[in-house]
Amino acid sequence: MLDGLSDIKNRIVSSSAEEVVASYLERIEKSNINAFTCIAEDAIEQAKKVDSLDIEGPLAGVPIAIKDNISTKGLSTTCSSAILEGYVPPYDAHVIERLRKAGAVIIGKSNMDEFGMGTSTETSTYGPTLNPWDTERVAGGSSGGSAAAVAAGQVPVSLGSDTGGSVRCPAAFCGAVGLKPTYGAVSRYGLVSYANSLEQIGPLANRVEDVAALMDVIGTYDNRDSTCVKHNAGYTDTLQDGVDGLKIGVPDEYFGEGIDDNVQKLVWDAIGKFEDMGAEYTKVSMPNTPYALAAYYIIAMSEASSNLARFDGTRYGNRSEGENWHMMASKTRQEKFGAEVKRRILLGTYALSAGYHDKYYLKALKVRTLVKQDFERAFEDVDVLMAPTMPTPAFKIGEKMDDPLSLYLSDVNTVPINLAGVPSISVPCGFSEGLPVGLQVIGNYFDEATILKAAHSFEKNTDHHTKLAAEVV
């Protein structure tokens, strides 16, 4: 079984933070799964500082991987894109400030799909991250490096970001636990924007209690993010309360065409386990779910078109040479952006163009409101919703890269959550042909405590999280 935060804290007490961090660095060096874009050269120095100053923060000496689109002062942040090669931020994101204050050791930046655009981490300029369970398969995306590093025991915890499932997808594919918090629960200050209205920073770990512990650290108000909301946290306070009397809603639309039979069976088995623990379930209808995927991609691509306009080689990052500014900016974007990023910029620009704005973008916003109302109606009668995180287990590397629409369809069960802004957690619920499958537990706004409690109760009463992925790397 992989170490959790409590195990690591005990190891630090019995030895030192330096020794613990060194052991993880050695594990990363021996790995072949390409989970990191860079390793922090001062990781050992950070650990020594914890030892010498006797820092007692809740994460003192704990090594953590940070997705490569979260700003880290003095440490390369490239979004796994050639256009940001060599960019070193002059400031820390809010979540990084909180982690440093808690004593965590930033061990490195984790690989991702370029600018978060992908479901497999195959669009990274550094190459794909490999799944620890089967290195011929994808780790999921876009936070594939963060999930794979956790599942392979290279770090105990990590941070990712979730725009349409980018924490939950790789968590499901790699057999980790991944939380997408309520929109506004965690500050996005310092997160490189892809789609502002959809994305949220979220934690990954091998245990639900460790995800909750990370949320206690990062889930605080920050006035530098105008969308950040003041709310009562205490994510670890009710973990042990159990699920007796919990009302579960099961949306029919999340078990439709395209969802693998084995995945459906494992999720229904998990719901049966909740019944054994005293919960009850009822089927619910979310009729606008079939339109969510199309609405999501129109909104996300439109926002990406606007956000990525800043990357022109002028202010930061990499650039190509040109005889004037226009040629330089044009060549930089042509040569340094990958194919998927270009595709989404073009489609987003088209959706926002005169004559098409109302036909596509405005209509997508209306659908988003309908999806949100589906969730609001459902939560009038139930406490949580449960469904498969992903329609299939991890697919093979290269299998879907030539078919973007097939890749986009993989997000069918995750994007509605981002459109609505509600929280959701993926927790392992079994294995299909030796590959992990994730159960998605969805909660009401700012009710992370209930989905964490449910996931923790399920985890305690099953053994899915105890199998060591590192054995197959």
Side-chain angles (χ1 to χ4, degrees):
M1 184 174 175
L2 298 171
D3 283 347
L5 290 182
S6 58
D7 303 309
I8 292 168
K9 289 176 182 177
N10 290 334
R11 285 174 58 193
I12 291 172
V13 169
S14 62
S15 56
S16 67
E18 179 184 357
E19 187 174 317
V20 168
V21 171
S23 69
Y24 278 99
L25 287 171
E26 183 179 358
R27 192 173 297 179
I28 292 169
E29 189 176 350
K30 290 180 178 178
S31 168
N32 62 349
I33 61 172
N34 196 32
F36 287 86
T37 61
C38 71
I39 299 298
E41 294 180 359
D42 68 341
I44 293 296
E45 291 304 314
Q46 292 180 59
K48 286 180 177 178
K49 184 177 179 182
V50 171
D51 292 329
S52 62
L53 298 180
D54 199 23
I55 295 174
E56 296 182 355
L59 299 177
V62 174
I64 181 169
I66 307 297
K67 189 175 180 179
D68 200 24
N69 62 347
I70 299 174
S71 183
T72 44
K73 184 177 181 180
L75 183 60
S76 174
T77 300
T78 71
C79 296
S80 292
S81 176
I83 206 167
L84 280 176
E85 182 183 349
Y87 173 63
V88 178
Y91 71 101
D92 277 332
H94 174 74
V95 292
I96 303 301
E97 292 175 348
R98 295 289 303 165
L99 290 171
R100 294 194 195 279
K101 187 175 181 180
V105 174
I106 311 299
I107 205 168
K109 306 301 287 287
S110 55
N111 200 12
M112 57 181 281
D113 280 297
E114 185 179 6
F115 284 101
M117 300 181 188
T119 309
S120 60
T121 315
E122 291 176 282
T123 67
S124 168
T125 191
Y126 301 101
T129 294
L130 313 182
N131 193 308
W133 295 92
D134 180 349
T135 54
E136 292 185 356
R137 295 181 182 268
V138 300
S142 62
S143 308
S146 295
V150 165
Q154 296 180 350
V155 287
V157 289
S158 65
L159 286 187
S161 65
D162 193 309
T163 309
S166 294
V167 164
R168 291 160 289 152
C169 163
F173 280 181
C174 292
V177 179
L179 173 69
K180 181 256 158 199
T182 303
Y183 186 80
V186 177
S187 171
R188 292 182 299 109
Y189 175 77
L191 173 67
V192 179
S193 294
Y194 157 27
N196 310 55
S197 73
L198 298 164
E199 58 202 7
Q200 186 65 77
I201 294 172
L204 297 102
N206 282 301
R207 303 179 189 180
V208 175
E209 63 183 6
D210 295 348
V211 164
L214 241 66
M215 281 300 296
D216 274 341
V217 172
I218 67 173
T220 60
Y221 177 69
D222 174 26
N223 61 12
R224 294 168 296 186
D225 175 4
S226 62
T227 64
C228 196
V229 178
K230 290 183 179 179
H231 63 285
N232 295 323
Y235 298 98
T236 56
D237 293 347
T238 59
L239 278 182
Q240 309 298 333
D241 286 358
V243 295
D244 189 31
L246 184 76
K247 295 180 180 179
I248 300 168
V250 182
D252 287 331
E253 294 80 2
Y254 285 64
F255 291 81
E257 184 180 351
I259 310 299
D260 180 84
D261 289 343
N262 287 339
V263 170
Q264 292 196 48
K265 180 182 182 303
L266 288 167
V267 170
W268 276 112
D269 288 347
I271 293 169
K273 188 69 176 179
F274 276 97
E275 285 189 293
D276 295 341
M277 293 187 287
E280 57 186 63
Y281 88 86
T282 183
K283 289 195 174 184
V284 299
S285 177
M286 305 186 76
N288 294 293
T289 300
Y291 313 113
L293 191 69
Y296 164 82
Y297 272 103
I298 290 171
I299 293 169
M301 291 179 183
S302 297
E303 293 186 15
S305 170
S306 173
N307 280 322
L308 270 64
R310 73 193 69 176
F311 301 108
D312 56 13
T314 303
R315 285 157 288 194
Y316 34 68
N318 208 348
R319 71 165 65 175
S320 298
E321 294 302 319
E323 57 192 51
N324 54 46
W325 182 86
H326 297 284
M327 289 299 296
M328 181 275 293
S330 178
K331 286 185 66 178
T332 295
R333 291 169 66 83
Q334 178 185 359
E335 295 174 1
K336 306 302 183 185
F337 279 144
E340 182 62 27
V341 173
K342 292 176 187 175
R343 179 183 295 117
R344 298 194 188 197
I345 290 173
L346 287 170
L347 289 171
T349 303
Y350 178 80
L352 292 174
S353 61
Y356 296 98
H357 176 277
D358 291 357
K359 185 178 180 180
Y360 295 111
Y361 183 67
L362 186 60
K363 189 173 288 186
L365 292 179
K366 291 178 179 178
V367 170
R368 182 178 192 170
T369 299
L370 295 174
V371 171
K372 182 174 181 288
Q373 290 171 350
D374 280 352
F375 281 96
E376 290 170 347
R377 280 192 296 269
F379 287 122
E380 290 176 1
D381 301 318
V382 300
D383 301 313
V384 300
L385 300 169
M386 292 188 183
T389 306
M390 299 300 291
T392 66
F395 45 87
K396 289 195 172 182
I397 292 172
E399 182 179 327
K400 299 188 177 186
M401 282 303 286
D402 294 330
D403 186 2
L405 288 179
S406 174
L407 202 59
Y408 297 165
L409 286 169
S410 297
D411 299 333
V412 65
N413 277 7
T414 53
V415 298
I417 285 80
N418 297 80
L419 287 173
V422 294
S424 174
I425 191 169
S426 179
V427 61
C429 68
F431 297 86
S432 175
E433 298 181 0
L435 296 170
V437 171
L439 166 70
Q440 184 172 207
V441 185
I442 307 160
N444 207 346
Y445 297 99
F446 296 103
D447 193 18
E448 281 83 355
T450 298
I451 61 173
L452 285 164
K453 175 182 68 176
H456 185 250
S457 296
F458 178 72
E459 184 182 73
K460 281 198 307 181
N461 286 275
T462 59
D463 62 355
H464 305 310
H465 69 295
T466 61
K467 193 172 180 182
L468 182 60
E471 290 179 355
V472 296
V473 176

